[in-house]
């Protein structure tokens, strides 16, 4: 190869590779739009992250026997301690089973052959629906609107008026419904009637005819004895925990 040809070859190979064309610059209108949109999108993302978690959540603190749970009407499955409770949750206890549920300082205890639904569970109210069985509710504190408690009793409704100890019965295969108040007070609504219940009182009613069958002193049952024992046990545990914390 001659010197001149070698020089031309070297010049061709030394040329830099051709780079791809650069993107065209943004139009000033696009630039202004970007400057406005990006901060707005960042604010929306931050607001979504900062939102509160789902309002009020409870949990199953004790499960004895073949207790079952369901969420939003789905198939029933086995329940276990720690199972969370939210709006749409349901629990049922077959024969020889029972469960204890807690929502903050409020304890719910469902006896055997019961079915309980959580129609609403948030910062404004707790709305329960007992379709069958026996339920006790121990509400230790009453903090205003956020502690509103109502229990649907197969069409009748009980509204608590403060902290207290309440007992509810719905006959599984019959018309009888009962609301008992051991501490506190509340109102039972059936048909067009509103019956006030003070501490130590009960009302037994026929849910089909919406008539009162009996009014008088509140009668206790085995689930109330169990509930009292559980309250004593958990109360002692809480006192011991506080003492250890103080030490």
């Amino acid at each position: 190869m001659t010197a001149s040809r070698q020089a031309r070859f070297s010049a061709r190979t030394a040329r830099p590779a051709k780079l791809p064309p650069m993107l065209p610059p943004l139009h000033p209108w696009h630039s202004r739009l970007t400057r406005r949109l990006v901060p707005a999108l960042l604010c929306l993302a931050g607001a979504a992250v900062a939102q509160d978690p789902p309002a009020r959540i409870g949990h199953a603190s004790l499960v004895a026997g073949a207790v079952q749970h369901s969420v939003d009407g789905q198939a029933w499955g086995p329940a276990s301690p720690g199972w969370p409770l939210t709006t749409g949750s349901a629990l049922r206890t077959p024969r020889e089973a029972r469960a204890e549920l807690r929502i903050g300082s409020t304890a719910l205890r469902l006896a055997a052959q019961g079915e309980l639904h959580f129609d609403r569970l948030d910062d404004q109210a707790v709305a329960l629906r007992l379709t069958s069985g026996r339920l006790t509710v121990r509400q230790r504190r009453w903090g205003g609107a956020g502690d509103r408690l109502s229990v649907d009793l197969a069409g009748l409704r009980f509204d608590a008026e403060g902290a207290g100890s309440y007992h509810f019965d719905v006959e599984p295969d019959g018309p009888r419904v009962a609301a008992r108040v051991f501490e506190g007070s509340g109102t039972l609504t059936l048909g067009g009637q509103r019956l006030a219940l003070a501490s130590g009182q009960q009302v037994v009613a026929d849910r089909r005819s919406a008539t009162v069958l009996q009014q008088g002193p509140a009668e206790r049952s085995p689930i109330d004895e169990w509930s009292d024992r559980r309250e004593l046990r958990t109360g002692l545990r809480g006192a011991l925990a506080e003492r250890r914390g103080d030490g």
Side-chain angles (χ1 to χ4, degrees):
M1 180 182 293
T2 64
S4 59
R5 290 181 63 185
Q6 186 175 1
R8 287 198 299 272
F9 177 78
S10 300
R12 283 198 302 268
T13 56
R15 289 175 185 171
K18 184 179 286 187
L19 297 175
M22 295 182 63
L23 293 174
L26 286 175
H27 190 279
W29 181 83
H30 292 163
S31 181
R32 290 195 299 271
L33 182 62
T34 302
R35 286 197 300 269
R36 293 178 182 177
L37 281 178
V38 169
L41 292 173
L42 290 175
C43 288
L44 287 175
V49 172
Q51 284 179 352
D52 292 333
R56 182 180 290 183
I57 296 178
H59 70 280
S61 53
L62 183 143
V63 172
V67 180
Q68 297 179 311
H69 74 86
S70 174
V71 179
D72 295 331
Q74 298 177 7
W76 294 90
S80 59
W83 171 63
L85 303 167
T86 60
T87 298
S89 296
L91 196 82
R92 68 182 181 189
T93 49
R95 191 180 299 274
E96 298 182 1
R98 58 188 179 184
E100 178 185 84
L101 318 169
R102 290 194 172 271
I103 308 168
S105 64
T106 299
L108 315 175
R109 298 181 177 97
L110 185 64
Q113 295 182 288
E115 185 170 323
L116 178 66
H117 296 254
F118 290 79
D119 290 341
R120 182 176 177 183
L121 183 53
D122 56 31
D123 290 334
Q124 283 69 50
V126 176
L128 309 173
R129 177 163 44 96
L130 183 66
T131 58
S132 65
R134 290 182 167 179
L135 171 72
T136 68
V137 178
R138 176 64 175 177
Q139 193 165 22
R140 289 184 171 276
R141 291 191 293 272
W142 186 265
D147 282 327
R148 281 190 305 146
L149 170 70
S150 65
V151 184
D152 183 287
L153 303 168
L156 282 62
R157 194 184 77 190
F158 178 86
D159 292 284
E161 295 174 352
S165 179
Y166 308 101
H167 176 125
F168 308 100
D169 290 346
V170 174
E171 199 172 30
D173 301 314
R176 292 169 67 91
V177 169
R180 299 180 173 89
V181 178
F182 295 109
E183 295 178 29
S185 61
T187 302
L188 181 67
T189 302
L190 65 160
Q193 303 180 70
R194 288 176 55 84
L195 304 174
L197 279 79
S199 179
Q201 295 182 334
Q202 73 174 20
V203 171
V204 181
D206 186 315
R207 62 183 176 86
R208 294 173 183 168
S209 61
T211 56
V212 175
L213 301 177
Q214 179 189 350
Q215 284 183 275
E219 300 172 355
R220 296 178 65 82
S221 68
I223 189 177
D224 300 307
E225 305 300 332
W226 175 60
S227 180
D228 287 349
R229 290 195 301 271
R230 289 291 301 169
E231 284 295 316
L232 180 61
R233 182 178 302 177
T234 54
L236 288 174
R237 241 190 335 250
L240 288 173
E242 289 181 3
R243 184 175 298 176
R244 285 195 299 267
D246 291 339

